[in-house]
Amino acid sequence: MQFTPQQSAGGPKYSHKTKIGNWLEDLELEEMKVKDFSCKKEQAKLSLSKVEEKLSSLLSPAPWSCSTDGMLHFGAKIMLLNKKTNGALVFDTGDRMPGVDEAYAVTTNPKKTGPNMRTVFIVSKADPKDGYKDDIIHYGQKIFIQTNPYAFPKTLYLKSIPVSPSICAKISRQQECSVQAKASYDNVWMIWHVDPNVRFTTKSEPVPVNEPIVIEHCATAHYLASDAFEYKNDFGNELEVSVHSYATLNKSQALALEKTGKLTRDLPTKFQNDQNIWCFLSSNDPSTDYKVVEPGKMTHEDLVRIVKQKLLEKGAYGIRGLARVFKSMDENGNHKLDPDDFRWGLYNYGVTITKEEAKLVVDVCDRDKDGSVDFNEFMRFLRGDLTEERKKYIQMAYNKLDKTQDGKVTLEDIASIYDASCHPDVKTGKKKPEDVFKEFMSQWDTQVVDGIVTIDEFMDYYKDVSASIDRDDYFVEMMKSAWKLSQSFILQL
């Protein structure tokens, strides 16, 4: 039971009908949460809706190639099955791996889901000058293993990098394996015969489908593997994939070869365990290789939407904070950055894009065609334009602050009226009112540091805030509450 300080000191008690404490604030907060939930539900922004959309997309059927000659061909749509887990290699674009480059987790799924968007892969040639002129894949030939073009707007390559204190497999702590959007030597693999005794003699021979093989990572000389390490994601309980050599520990094979005089230092003598053994699965029915319309390539609008979403996850000041980062990097004062600086500016602010995505931005935001990014133009894409309704209420708020009507508002004027409790981040529970107020007061003097806020600076600030509010009526309600715009004051203007 709750008591007021007066009651604790011996004062009379309230009746059971009397509400005490912060009941009004609790009631308003509950109403705000309901409104926020309804808004997100209407726009399909709920976490559950996003997961359902991802599951529906990645679990939809995909074309599966049929090999008429029993051999593995470049460009064929195949599945990879692991012997130990009896699961197909799969990827999850909702499970992003830490690091500079865009990478997503891979696992094996023991459930027999058949050929779908996350189980079907394509093998492509890594070295165009390897000397092989046909489209058949050979043992020892350098290859890329990439996702099918229907699953994701960008091509993702199976990759691995050496173990480090910060990068390793999530469960086993072995060498990590994932799919990433950048093609490099970390993405290069070679297929070998499962029997080490004939691995040297079978080099350059065609690789059969539906037969056991091992896949070596060229950069580290370890083998692709999957073991019974449970990995939980949105698809359920799957099994971890890593790059690790699971070899037999006994010396019986080496002794047997020595007895027959076949042992040499150049040949491996240990068999790989089931964790390293895979099989390229091909269909037996040519009709499974049907045509599907490929998704369009990522455009600058798609990239802006993704970056904007990540910035808004940081709060209503996310876009404004990025503008400050770019401004601090602009040593020449010409509002331009080269693509690498632009990319690292985003990365320092917690947003990762690839070099190819940075090039998309250059194509759109390079007004002078000198290869640099006009970050003011990029910020304009992020913010979007203010509607006339929003401009009207921003102007009303400024007019209320500008008591002398001389177009000059001081920071003291702003501090005396602004109500931080109506800020979007406070309503959603992300921040406390006092934290928002301090952050709010630090946002001014973006153009000229003089303690005066002009209408342009005021409008510029609310362009950033406006980007985080989808509906005009929500924005108007926020402006009325934050600046105490009464109905009588609105009617006077």
Side-chain angles (χ1 to χ4, degrees):
M1 185 175 180
Q2 296 180 357
F3 298 94
T4 65
Q6 292 82 0
Q7 291 171 338
S8 300
K13 297 180 180 179
Y14 291 117
S15 71
H16 69 281
K17 295 181 180 180
T18 304
K19 296 179 179 180
I20 63 174
N22 296 328
W23 62 271
L24 181 59
E25 289 84 350
D26 293 339
L27 184 61
E28 288 183 346
L29 180 61
E30 192 65 30
E31 290 177 354
M32 291 174 186
K33 288 181 178 179
V34 172
K35 286 183 179 179
D36 184 57
F37 174 82
S38 301
C39 181
K40 288 183 176 179
K41 185 177 180 181
E42 290 175 6
Q43 299 171 6
K45 290 185 177 180
L46 293 174
S47 298
L48 181 60
S49 301
K50 293 179 180 178
V51 171
E52 288 177 347
E53 182 181 354
K54 181 183 74 173
L55 294 179
S56 174
S57 173
L58 291 180
L59 292 178
S60 58
W64 187 25
S65 297
C66 174
S67 177
T68 55
D69 58 1
M71 299 300 168
L72 183 62
H73 293 257
F74 286 115
K77 308 171 191 69
I78 47 82
M79 293 195 295
L80 264 169
L81 186 70
N82 182 260
K83 184 177 181 180
K84 171 69 176 181
T85 63
N86 197 29
L89 184 71
V90 293
F91 64 96
D92 181 4
T93 52
D95 188 359
R96 186 154 182 170
M97 308 296 288
V100 178
D101 296 309
E102 181 180 6
Y104 302 96
V106 292
T107 51
T108 54
N109 185 353
K111 300 174 183 177
K112 304 302 180 183
T113 58
N116 57 49
M117 293 300 176
R118 67 190 302 248
T119 62
V120 173
F121 290 80
I122 293 175
V123 181
S124 61
K125 183 177 288 192
D127 182 8
K129 299 180 180 179
D130 57 11
Y132 297 101
K133 296 182 180 180
D134 55 7
D135 69 339
I136 296 178
I137 300 171
H138 302 261
Y139 287 120
Q141 190 174 6
K142 293 180 178 179
I143 61 169
F144 290 131
I145 300 175
Q146 62 193 55
T147 58
N148 67 81
Y150 320 110
F152 199 63
K154 292 180 283 189
T155 300
L156 303 175
Y157 300 89
L158 190 69
K159 70 98 180 179
S160 181
I161 56 178
V163 175
S164 71
S166 59
I167 301 177
C168 59
K170 188 176 180 179
I171 311 298
S172 65
R173 318 303 291 177
Q174 296 169 351
Q175 186 172 314
E176 66 86 34
C177 185
S178 58
V179 286
Q180 73 169 13
K182 183 180 74 172
S184 67
Y185 194 66
D186 291 331
N187 310 124
V188 181
W189 306 82
M190 288 190 295
I191 303 171
W192 293 106
H193 197 283
V194 71
D195 186 351
N197 298 324
V198 298
R199 201 165 290 171
F200 181 77
T201 56
T202 56
K203 184 179 180 181
S204 300
E205 290 186 3
V207 177
V209 294
N210 306 323
E211 295 290 338
I213 47 90
V214 292
I215 304 174
E216 180 185 358
H217 185 236
C218 292
T220 59
H222 287 293
Y223 296 96
L224 184 66
S226 182
D227 206 346
F229 296 109
E230 194 171 274
Y231 191 107
K232 295 183 178 180
N233 56 25
D234 293 333
F235 296 89
N237 294 335
E238 298 185 331
L239 301 172
E240 184 182 71
V241 171
S242 63
V243 173
H244 183 76
S245 297
Y246 288 89
T248 55
L249 301 178
N250 58 63
K251 296 182 179 180
S252 58
Q253 181 67 24
L255 293 173
L257 291 173
E258 285 179 358
K259 184 177 180 180
T260 57
K262 295 180 180 179
L263 181 64
T264 69
R265 293 182 180 180
D266 297 330
L267 297 178
T269 58
K270 292 183 178 181
F271 283 89
Q272 261 57 52
N273 288 341
D274 289 350
Q275 291 93 330
N276 290 133
I277 298 177
W278 298 81
C279 176
F280 284 100
L281 292 182
S282 173
S283 172
N284 295 322
D285 183 5
S287 65
T288 58
D289 192 7
Y290 50 86
K291 290 187 178 181
V292 177
V293 178
E294 294 188 22
K297 297 295 183 181
M298 179 171 285
T299 64
H300 71 276
E301 288 90 353
D302 298 326
L303 178 60
V304 167
R305 187 187 70 255
I306 293 171
V307 172
K308 183 176 178 179
Q309 181 181 356
K310 292 178 181 177
L311 292 175
L312 294 182
E313 289 174 359
K314 295 177 173 289
Y317 295 130
I319 293 178
R320 198 165 185 82
L322 179 62
R324 287 175 176 267
V325 171
F326 284 154
K327 190 174 182 180
S328 67
M329 296 176 66
D330 182 20
E331 298 178 353
N332 300 325
N334 60 356
H335 304 288
K336 289 187 176 184
L337 295 172
D338 65 64
D340 285 337
D341 286 344
F342 173 79
R343 180 170 170 250
W344 282 103
L346 284 173
Y347 176 69
N348 290 337
Y349 199 64
V351 179
T352 304
I353 64 172
T354 64
K355 290 184 178 180
E356 292 74 17
E357 291 169 342
K359 186 177 182 301
L360 279 177
V361 178
V362 173
D363 294 340
V364 176
C365 302
D366 182 11
R367 290 183 173 181
D368 301 333
K369 303 303 178 185
D370 59 356
S372 59
V373 178
D374 185 330
F375 60 77
N376 280 344
E377 187 73 8
F378 180 70
M379 298 307 296
R380 186 181 69 80
F381 276 111
L382 283 180
R383 290 168 176 153
D385 296 324
L386 288 169
T387 64
E388 292 301 322
E389 183 74 2
R390 299 191 185 199
K391 286 181 182 178
K392 181 175 73 173
Y393 280 88
I394 296 171
Q395 186 67 56
M396 285 182 189
Y398 189 82
N399 290 342
K400 183 172 183 178
L401 291 168
D402 187 11
K403 298 176 181 178
T404 59
Q405 299 299 310
D406 60 354
K408 296 180 180 179
V409 172
T410 64
L411 296 179
E412 290 77 12
D413 295 332
I414 294 175
S416 65
I417 298 179
Y418 183 69
D419 184 2
S421 65
C422 302
H423 193 275
D425 289 347
V426 176
K427 288 187 174 183
T428 56
K430 289 183 179 179
K431 297 177 182 177
K432 296 179 180 179
E434 54 268 26
D435 296 331
V436 167
F437 182 78
K438 291 178 183 178
E439 196 173 10
F440 175 79
M441 295 306 297
S442 68
Q443 300 297 319
W444 305 102
D445 283 340
T446 56
Q447 297 179 12
V448 180
V449 182
D450 55 3
I452 302 296
V453 179
T454 65
I455 182 59
D456 290 336
E457 289 176 330
F458 197 73
M459 195 73 71
D460 190 51
Y461 166 80
Y462 272 106
K463 283 181 180 178
D464 296 334
V465 175
S466 174
S468 66
I469 303 174
D470 297 310
R471 291 173 52 171
D472 282 355
D473 55 342
Y474 283 9
F475 182 85
V476 169
E477 189 63 33
M478 181 205 68
M479 293 297 295
K480 286 181 179 179
S481 302
W483 299 107
K484 300 178 176 65
L485 301 177
S486 64
Q487 191 64 29
S488 58
F489 176 79
I490 295 173
L491 293 174
Q492 290 175 6
L493 298 175

